[in-house]
Every structure is written in structure tokens, then in C-alpha cells.
Amino acid sequence: MVKVLIKKLDVKAQLPSYKSTGASGMDLMALTENSIKISPGSSSLIPTGLSIAIPSECEIQIRPRSGLALNSNISVLNTPGTIDSDYRGELKVILFNHSNKDFVVNNGDRIAQMVLMPVLKVEFEEVEDLPETFRGSGGFGSTGKWKKISMKKILKDIHVK
């Protein structure tokens, strides 16, 4: 288990927690003095009263709760939301109301889940050509319709003999 430093910005803030032994996400709870109404087709920034020190090789992903999505058509707008390792401000969640009814967030409501994820840093190497694949440049519905190229050519491109 990874140790992560977390700070309550308000004594009433609730620490995130796993709700089962197999859960990958920890529930985040709203911290608000007054209820927050999210109108249909609108979003709202929901505070949690927490800040966190994420390890430098990680990020926190903020994801929707499946129960809110199924039962109330509520989702995290920028799914998944990313909290960078160098951010030390309050964790806040952008909730979006996809339904045709008002949705109300009350203090202590479980609003999203957070998952600690590793981040791989890359260094780009500019090249003239990329190795070919069966799929090639096909995208957006092209799966299964890939241009056929020879296995010998692919193996040659990746230097396998």
C-alpha cells in the first residue's frame, strides 16, 4: 500500500475511503455549507475540503460514481479528471447533470471516486517513419478493416529476425 499525505482544510471534511476490499477507487465526499443545485445540462464545481501530496511519479484520477451515473445521470465532466502531483490546492470535482431534473449535492454526499495511478514520463525521439502495423493509420471505426501488410515487413521494421 502506498502512503499519501492528505490535509483536511476544514475539520468537517471527510477523508476518502475504500468501501470494499476489492475497490480500486476511494469515495470523495462533498464539503459544503449549503446544498448545491445542479440544473439539467449544467455543471458545478464541488469542494471536498481536502488537499493532497501526490507522489511525483503518480496522478490522482477523479472518476464518476456508477450509482450516480445510473440513478441520477450525474457524471464527472472531465472524466477522468486529473490531479497532478505538484498541485496542492483543494480537491474539487466538476459534476455534470445529464438528466432533465435538478440534482442537489448535500454536505457529505459521495460525489466521485479517486484512483491513484502511475504516470510514465516520455521523451520523444523524432523519426522520419514509424514501424508499420496491421492497423496502420485506420481509426474511428476501422477496427477489423485494417490494410493487409506482410508479417515479414512488420518483423523487419521492428528488427526481429
Side-chain angles (χ1 to χ4, degrees):
M1 187 158 301
V2 177
K3 297 279 184 191
V4 175
L5 304 176
I6 192 165
K7 178 181 178 181
K8 285 185 175 184
L9 302 173
D10 184 299
V11 293
K12 294 177 270 179
Q14 298 179 53
L15 294 181
S17 61
Y18 295 107
K19 298 302 182 193
S20 72
T21 56
S24 59
M26 302 176 82
D27 284 348
L28 280 172
M29 281 67 73
L31 179 69
T32 178
E33 291 294 321
N34 301 306
S35 297
I36 299 171
K37 181 176 81 168
I38 307 173
S39 300
S42 297
S43 63
S44 189
L45 190 60
I46 311 299
T48 66
L50 302 169
S51 67
I52 192 166
I54 303 165
S56 62
E57 67 283 355
C58 296
E59 70 168 336
I60 293 282
Q61 291 185 357
I62 305 298
R63 301 177 181 178
R65 293 192 64 248
S66 58
L68 283 180
L70 175 66
N71 299 321
S72 302
N73 291 317
I74 300 298
S75 185
V76 174
L77 184 59
N78 59 327
T79 300
T82 294
I83 309 295
D84 295 312
S85 65
D86 58 353
Y87 176 70
R88 293 296 184 272
E90 181 177 8
L91 297 180
K92 295 180 181 181
V93 177
I94 307 168
L95 289 184
F96 186 82
N97 184 351
H98 292 276
S99 79
N100 58 7
K101 296 186 272 188
D102 287 342
F103 182 79
V104 177
V105 177
N106 296 300
N107 188 54
D109 283 354
R110 295 183 295 161
I111 56 169
Q113 53 185 331
M114 60 183 264
V115 177
L116 181 70
M117 297 294 295
V119 172
L120 298 175
K121 298 287 185 170
V122 301
E123 179 181 323
F124 289 107
E125 177 183 344
E126 188 173 354
V127 296
E128 292 293 321
D129 296 298
L130 297 174
E132 290 194 38
T133 66
F134 281 112
R135 186 173 187 175
S137 62
F140 302 100
S142 69
T143 305
K145 300 176 186 175
W146 302 321
K147 119 181 149 173
K148 303 292 184 204
I149 62 172
S150 75
M151 182 59 80
K152 185 176 180 180
K153 169 101 172 88
I154 291 173
L155 295 176
K156 178 180 171 264
D157 286 347
I158 59 172
H159 309 293
V160 175
K161 306 225 187 268

